[in-house]
Amino acid sequence: MQCALKFACSAAPPSSASIAPLLFSNTHNKKKKLRNGCSIRAELSDDNDPLLQAAINSASLRFHETHRQDPLFIDPYAGCFVSTHTQMDMETKAKQYCIATKFIDDKLLSTVNHMDGLKQVVLLSDGMDTRPYRLNWPSSTIMFDISPLRVFQKAAEKLDGVGAKIPQRCLFLHVPLETPNIQETLVTKGFNGTRPSVWAIQGLPLMTLVSFEEILLTVSGMAMKGCLFFGELPAWLAETGIGNKSSTKKWINNIFMSYGFKVDMISYDEVAKRLGKVVKPGDYKTILFVAEQLRCSDDQMETWRIELQRVEEDGDEEGFEDL
């Protein structure tokens, strides 16, 4: 997929049914040409898989945060993904990532605890998100994790090995990022667009502005009016869309609004202060945001279309009887 070098929302978005979520480079499908004209398939290993390594790096940040004297959160499972000798720069990326992780944790639980009945949570992650296991989810919560299949499978093996369990009366399902139609797969696995849901993104591999727009289109089509979508985005998305950093807020407002969301950028500094932490000033590599769905989901629209059709048919029958 080519990288979009201009603001891509000027044209009408494509139908959600036609989305192919090519959100990362299929390195294992690329072929390396040999001098004699033959080709071989480049196989990924744990050492050369960039998505796996990125997920392990994030798990390392959570592992080190967990073992601080005053941790922002406890992730008892992060250690099963990483070496205890892993060295991370805790003064830069770590603080920002951990502050965002705590913010997303709290936002997820506060939102879900205000839902009645079935609670739907969609996590767009790197495949090593331990939230389904480590957070105190209320009963009747169904969680969907959208992430790279290979990373998720590696993580699932590790988590099973340490006895990680989903809270009782909750359900956890995976949707591979490679799935040709994520929206259709979510519905097949039980997602209901006429019930409330909450969507959180952190660590999902996004390689182009177009890939992010595909995510926005998917969420816009599935989330009910009033539902929240929040998390972290790479800051380069805004730079790709506008060419400079000065209009980041305007850019993020425009792109979210074009898909039916009202969005607020969240200040890392303000979140850090509320948590009693201090972050060094400087250029952030990610954008923290909270967006609210202003449109009705596709399922809501279909339900109302059917109801309107029924009312019209009933009206036609009554008119015929009067004649």
Side-chain angles (χ1 to χ4, degrees), residues 98-111:
C98 292
I99 286 169
T101 299
K102 173 63 174 174
F103 175 82
I104 295 169
D105 287 355
D106 292 348
K107 194 72 175 176
L108 278 169
L109 289 179
S110 64
T111 303

Side-chain angles (χ1 to χ4, degrees), residues 33-65:
K33 288 289 183 180
L34 302 180
R35 289 186 179 181
N36 60 7
C38 298
S39 63
I40 60 173
R41 187 177 298 275
E43 297 292 342
L44 282 180
S45 67
D46 289 357
D47 293 332
N48 67 11
D49 184 343
L51 302 185
L52 180 61
Q53 291 304 313
I56 291 174
N57 287 343
S58 293
S60 296
L61 298 177
R62 299 197 303 274
F63 175 78
H64 284 283
E65 179 65 25

